[in-house]
């Protein structure tokens, strides 16, 4: 039996966290006398580690102020969790897709995200998903996407080769990370980057719903991995 590894991004792929992210960023900016940025601008950096995201949003800002805004974002995110209108729901079909894949003997699941370990574990525990994943890679463990280290660590922990690994994500950063790590990459069209950006960054397919994931994986797995032949 050949083991396969499916690694999901979190925000924008499994969990719809856009309202929380935008609200926390606005709070952090306002607390330090900065004009909040447009929603689309904030969401465009989702997927990067927080430090990289703030550098992208505030490239000309004094590093001390940028660090203060970073800490302000963390604090705001923590305090805003209690507000029901800022809930972070799973995308439709996410739970069913994760449960179906986790039930297979030939598939292992992982996550690679710009969240912190603490933030990721809180999100997974909220939705009772942590038990399905054998590897959790975060911005605490490796450089920000699109650096390949998160995926490389996930594959090492799972014992699965790049040719048998698929990254599922919603941003060009995810697709570029997969390309750098030598894995397959599926994009999703319900996240924060447009489908054409995902294809340009290396997605072999862009899914329109979680119901398309298993058939797409089966189609991929029917083909031999690099260096393999049927027979």
């Amino acid at each position: 039996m050949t083991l396969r590894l499916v690694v999901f991004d979190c925000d924008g792929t499994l969990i719809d966290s856009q309202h929380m992210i935008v609200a926390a960023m606005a709070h952090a900016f306002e607390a330090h006398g900065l004009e909040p940025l447009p929603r689309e601008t904030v969401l465009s950096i989702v997927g990067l580690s927080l430090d990289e995201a703030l550098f992208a949003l505030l490239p000309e800002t004094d590093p001390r102020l940028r660090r203060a805004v970073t800490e302000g974002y963390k604090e705001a995110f923590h305090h805003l969790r209690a507000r029901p209108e800022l809930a972070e729901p799973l995308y439709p079909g996410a739970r069913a897709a994760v449960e179906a894949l986790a039930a297979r003997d030939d598939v292992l699941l992982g996550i690679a995200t710009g969240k912190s370990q603490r933030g990721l574990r809180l999100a997974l525990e909220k939705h009772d998903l942590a038990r399905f994943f054998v590897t959790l890679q975060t911005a605490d463990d490796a450089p920000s996407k699109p650096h390949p280290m998160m995926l490389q660590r996930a594959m090492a922990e799972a014992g699965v080769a790049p040719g048998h690994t698929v990254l599922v994500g919603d941003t060009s950063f995810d697709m570029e990370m997969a390309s750098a790590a030598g894995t397959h990459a599926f994009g999703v069209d319900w996240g924060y980057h447009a489908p054409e950006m995902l294809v340009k960054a290396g997605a072999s397919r862009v899914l329109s719903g979680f119901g398309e994931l298993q058939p797409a994986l089966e189609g991929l797995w029917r083909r031999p991995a690099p260096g393999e032949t049927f027979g």
Side-chain angles (χ1 to χ4, degrees), residues 24 28 50-51 67-81 116 118 140:
L50 187 54
D51 287 343
R67 284 193 295 270
V69 174
T70 300
E71 292 305 313
Y73 175 86
K74 293 177 184 178
E75 293 173 8
F77 203 98
H78 175 73
H79 290 299
L80 291 172
R81 283 184 184 278
S116 66
R118 179 175 180 272
D140 293 340

Side-chain angles (χ1 to χ4, degrees), residues 28-197:
F29 271 56
E30 290 171 348
H32 293 88
L34 299 172
E35 185 72 22
L37 297 172
R39 180 184 195 85
E40 295 75 17
T41 302
V42 174
L43 293 179
S44 72
I45 52 77
V46 174
L48 298 175
S49 67
L50 187 54
D51 287 343
E52 291 289 331
L54 265 297
F55 184 81
L57 294 176
L58 298 170
E60 306 299 327
T61 302
D62 183 281
R64 291 170 296 182
L65 176 56
R66 195 161 55 236
R67 284 193 295 270
V69 174
T70 300
E71 292 305 313
Y73 175 86
K74 293 177 184 178
E75 293 173 8
F77 203 98
H78 175 73
H79 290 299
L80 291 172
R81 283 184 184 278
R83 290 173 52 174
E85 74 273 19
L86 298 176
E88 298 176 278
L90 293 174
Y91 283 102
R95 175 176 295 281
V98 167
E99 290 180 347
L101 287 171
R104 295 178 52 148
D105 292 334
D106 62 336
V107 175
L108 299 174
L109 300 182
I111 288 183
T113 175
K115 284 182 175 293
S116 66
Q117 275 285 347
R118 179 175 180 272
L120 175 59
R121 291 181 184 278
L122 284 171
L124 294 179
E125 288 165 8
K126 174 182 177 181
H127 295 290
D128 190 28
L129 289 178
R131 55 199 168 97
F132 297 117
F133 297 96
V134 302
T135 179
L136 301 177
Q137 301 301 322
T138 73
D140 293 340
D141 313 305
S144 176
K145 300 173 185 179
H147 193 285
M149 187 178 291
M150 286 191 205
L151 264 183
Q152 291 167 340
R153 286 174 56 96
M155 291 186 288
E157 290 186 4
V160 177
H164 299 300
T165 298
V166 183
L167 186 282
V168 182
D170 71 300
T171 71
S172 58
F173 311 127
D174 295 310
M175 304 303 103
E176 291 166 2
M177 175 177 66
S179 178
T183 75
H184 302 283
F186 289 167
V188 303
D189 72 358
W190 55 82
Y192 306 140
H193 284 184
E196 55 268 25
M197 291 180 63

Side-chain angles (χ1 to χ4, degrees), residues 9-30:
D9 168 58
C10 185
D11 295 323
T13 302
L14 290 175
I15 296 176
D16 185 1
S17 52
Q18 59 180 306
H19 302 301
M20 177 73 84
I21 291 170
V22 171
M25 197 65 75
H27 275 262
F29 271 56
E30 290 171 348

